[in-house]
Amino acid sequence: MIYKFKSKAAGDVIMLAPGGDAVLRIIGKEPAAKGIIETADMPAAMKAIEQAVAADEAARKQPPSDDDDEPKPGKGDGVSLRQRAWPLLEMMKRSLAAGEPIVWGV
């Protein structure tokens, strides 16, 4: 599935399912084919993304241990959560300033 986030205040943001699902879960939404982020929910969503990005970056800085069988977040693909979430975060900032919701799947 592909997410196409739309807002009247910004250009479209397109994300593949794994990245889109992850970002939606971070902001407290269940991944779905259709949805909306209301302007009232955007400040909390932006804060949640920023906190998740900080946690992801801290986890990436940890040296791998020999006894750790669990993969580190984002390990393998080289694309950080910051890189994946930045376009949607910028869309949220612009949409909040303009008072416009963000929708997908409509």
Side-chain angles (χ1 to χ4, degrees), residues 57-87:
E57 289 177 345
R60 286 175 175 269
K61 289 180 182 177
Q62 295 294 325
S65 62
D66 294 335
D67 61 334
D68 190 9
D69 292 336
E70 293 294 315
K72 295 289 181 202
K75 188 174 181 179
D77 63 5
V79 180
S80 69
L81 179 59
R82 177 180 296 281
Q83 292 167 313
R84 291 191 192 280
W86 181 82

Side-chain angles (χ1 to χ4, degrees), residues 4-92:
K4 186 174 184 180
F5 297 98
K6 302 180 204 177
S7 172
K8 292 180 181 178
D12 295 348
V13 173
I14 298 173
M15 295 180 127
L16 295 177
D21 290 350
V23 172
L24 287 174
R25 285 189 183 101
I26 288 168
I27 65 172
K29 298 220 176 254
E30 275 301 310
K34 294 181 181 181
I36 186 168
I37 304 171
E38 298 286 349
T39 54
D41 299 332
M42 288 182 199
M46 289 187 292
K47 185 174 182 178
I49 290 172
E50 289 166 354
Q51 289 173 341
V53 165
D56 178 66
E57 289 177 345
R60 286 175 175 269
K61 289 180 182 177
Q62 295 294 325
S65 62
D66 294 335
D67 61 334
D68 190 9
D69 292 336
E70 293 294 315
K72 295 289 181 202
K75 188 174 181 179
D77 63 5
V79 180
S80 69
L81 179 59
R82 177 180 296 281
Q83 292 167 313
R84 291 191 192 280
W86 181 82
L88 187 59
L89 188 59
E90 286 298 309
M91 176 184 260
M92 284 184 196

